[in-house]
Amino acid sequence: MGIRDERVLRAVEQVPRQLFVPPAMRGESEADRPLPIGYGQTISQPFIVAFMTEALRLEGAERVLEVGTGSGYQTALLGLLAREVFSIEIVPELAARAAEVLLGPMHLGNVRLRVGDGRQGWPEAAPFERIIVTAAPATIPEPLVAQLAPGGRMVIPVGADPEVQSLRLFQRGNDGVSATVDLLPVRFVPLTGDS
Ligand code: SAM
């Protein structure tokens, strides 16, 4: 499907998606589409998860901030591909379920989870070389821009239309100059608390 980064493809092979979907949905866990995980939220389509992960261009030494842990599936891939992952989820029940899988069967000791509003980022752990956001704000939250390290990359769906948003790559140059590229039209749940 156009994903070429070998490390990303290997990580997708290593993470069983069925661990992250509710028992009633397990028969469909291999389908390339989003699935409901409760609380009005979804586990993202595997292609989109792989596409966003590839766009981060992880080499293994990065500290990554993820906003929207959800099921923890994307978090698991990040945990395999980066040095340290800081992931924030606003629904406590989803964060608890993700923690069970990430720390249990996935044995990912480099993942830290927090319940809260990810729009504020994780200031004590900043700056991050990579940021990934898995719910859509109308505009990129300023604290996330501030917490992106020079030379860093942020992948984020942006747009107020609930039907379609633009998946954007925001890059901060080492010279402080920023650039934004539209990658793909996508459909994500809204980032809660957006104004
Ligand atoms: N990548 C995840 C996966 O594969 O399971 C899917 C994430 S789901 C599309 C988006 C998640 O973002 C939901 O779990 C939702 O509760 C969470 N979310 C929404 N607004 C948030 C906010 N302000 N802060 C943190 N998490 C938020």
Side-chain angles (χ1 to χ4, degrees):
M1 296 181 75
I3 308 295
R4 294 205 168 76
D5 184 327
E6 287 291 335
R7 293 183 73 237
V8 173
L9 292 169
R10 240 178 292 133
V12 169
E13 273 174 10
Q14 282 172 38
V15 179
R17 193 171 181 241
Q18 69 266 22
L19 290 178
F20 297 88
V21 304
M25 305 298 302
R26 296 234 159 107
E28 292 177 68
S29 65
E30 297 303 313
D32 188 31
R33 60 182 179 84
L35 297 171
I37 55 172
Y39 309 94
Q41 303 302 329
T42 53
I43 177 171
S44 304
Q45 178 188 358
F47 167 70
I48 293 292
V49 173
F51 184 91
M52 291 174 76
T53 308
E54 183 172 66
L56 287 175
R57 293 212 191 138
L58 294 165
E59 292 179 358
E62 300 84 0
R63 296 166 77 254
V64 183
L65 172 67
E66 178 186 41
V67 175
T69 316
S71 69
Y73 176 67
Q74 169 89 71
T75 322
L77 294 181
L78 298 172
L80 291 176
L81 293 167
R83 177 155 65 94
E84 219 174 345
V85 182
F86 298 79
S87 186
I88 309 173
E89 170 56 51
I90 207 159
V91 179
E93 293 85 352
L94 289 178
R97 212 193 279 160
E100 269 175 36
V101 184
L102 293 166
L103 306 175
M106 290 304 301
H107 303 296
L108 285 167
N110 62 342
V111 170
R112 293 173 63 186
L113 302 176
R114 165 179 281 187
V115 175
D117 182 0
R119 293 155 50 88
Q120 303 310 320
W122 195 313
E124 321 88 87
F128 301 97
E129 286 83 35
R130 301 289 186 268
I131 297 179
I132 180 168
V133 183
T134 68
T139 57
I140 301 181
E142 209 37 60
L144 300 185
V145 174
Q147 290 174 34
L148 186 64
R153 296 165 78 85
M154 168 161 35
V155 177
I156 179 168
V158 182
D161 183 344
E163 298 300 319
V164 64
Q165 306 97 34
S166 178
L167 186 63
R168 295 214 171 122
L169 169 64
F170 176 91
Q171 288 174 274
R172 163 167 285 164
N174 283 310
D175 53 4
V177 178
S178 302
T180 306
V181 183
D182 285 318
L183 300 175
L184 205 66
V186 287
R187 184 178 178 176
F188 274 87
V189 293
L191 193 69
T192 308
D194 203 15
S195 47

